[in-house]
Amino acid sequence: MTTTTPPVGAAADVWAAVTDIYAAFMDGDRARIDSHIHPDGTVWDADVESLMFGRRDLDAHREQRDAAPDPGPGPDALHCAEPVIDVWGDTALARYWLVVEGAGPVRIRTTDVLRRSPEGWLVVHHHEQRWD
């Protein structure tokens, strides 16, 4: 099943998990973010060249980012738009635009692969590409 705006059924549950990651980021709630990411998941971050493997790499990136002498201002807002979501049993693929509002809007083309678990939908791979 492929779903575009607005997602329904299982796709709506996937979309709720994805968008809550960004809401949690804006709330500064790392535990809530991590509750949606599989501990062994991989991440291609738009600002990091190498693939991050698991929570250890992700946390190392976060610590380095947070320790930067002048990390600059954080985003004013994050908006997820134009979702295209496929769900096949316990696997889902979500594609969407992440719009970062701040010094100037930045659009990031994003893809998430998720797996359904007893805890809900968990991101097992996240891929970002800046599209300026």
Side-chain angles (χ1 to χ4, degrees), residues 44-130:
W44 282 115
D45 186 280
D47 296 322
V48 177
E49 183 176 355
S50 60
L51 181 64
M52 290 179 267
F53 292 89
R55 185 73 43 78
R56 187 180 66 201
D57 284 357
L58 181 57
D59 284 343
H61 163 65
R62 291 165 166 169
E63 289 170 17
Q64 182 179 20
R65 179 192 64 207
D66 295 347
D70 182 15
D76 294 332
L78 299 173
H79 306 283
C80 296
E82 301 177 40
V84 176
I85 300 171
D86 289 301
V87 178
W88 306 281
D90 290 338
T91 303
L93 180 63
R95 289 87 75 194
Y96 55 95
W97 287 100
L98 173 63
V99 180
V100 182
E101 300 288 343
V106 174
R107 293 183 339 137
I108 299 174
R109 187 165 48 189
T110 308
T111 301
D112 288 321
V113 178
L114 300 93
R115 294 283 297 164
R116 190 184 340 243
S117 75
E119 295 80 28
W121 287 98
L122 298 179
V123 175
V124 295
H125 179 71
H126 175 80
H127 186 120
E128 299 177 341
Q129 179 185 14
R130 191 176 302 274

Side-chain angles (χ1 to χ4, degrees), residues 31-50:
R32 195 165 108 221
I33 295 168
D34 290 348
S35 75
H36 296 294
I37 302 172
H38 191 281
D40 296 323
T42 54
V43 176
W44 282 115
D45 186 280
D47 296 322
V48 177
E49 183 176 355
S50 60

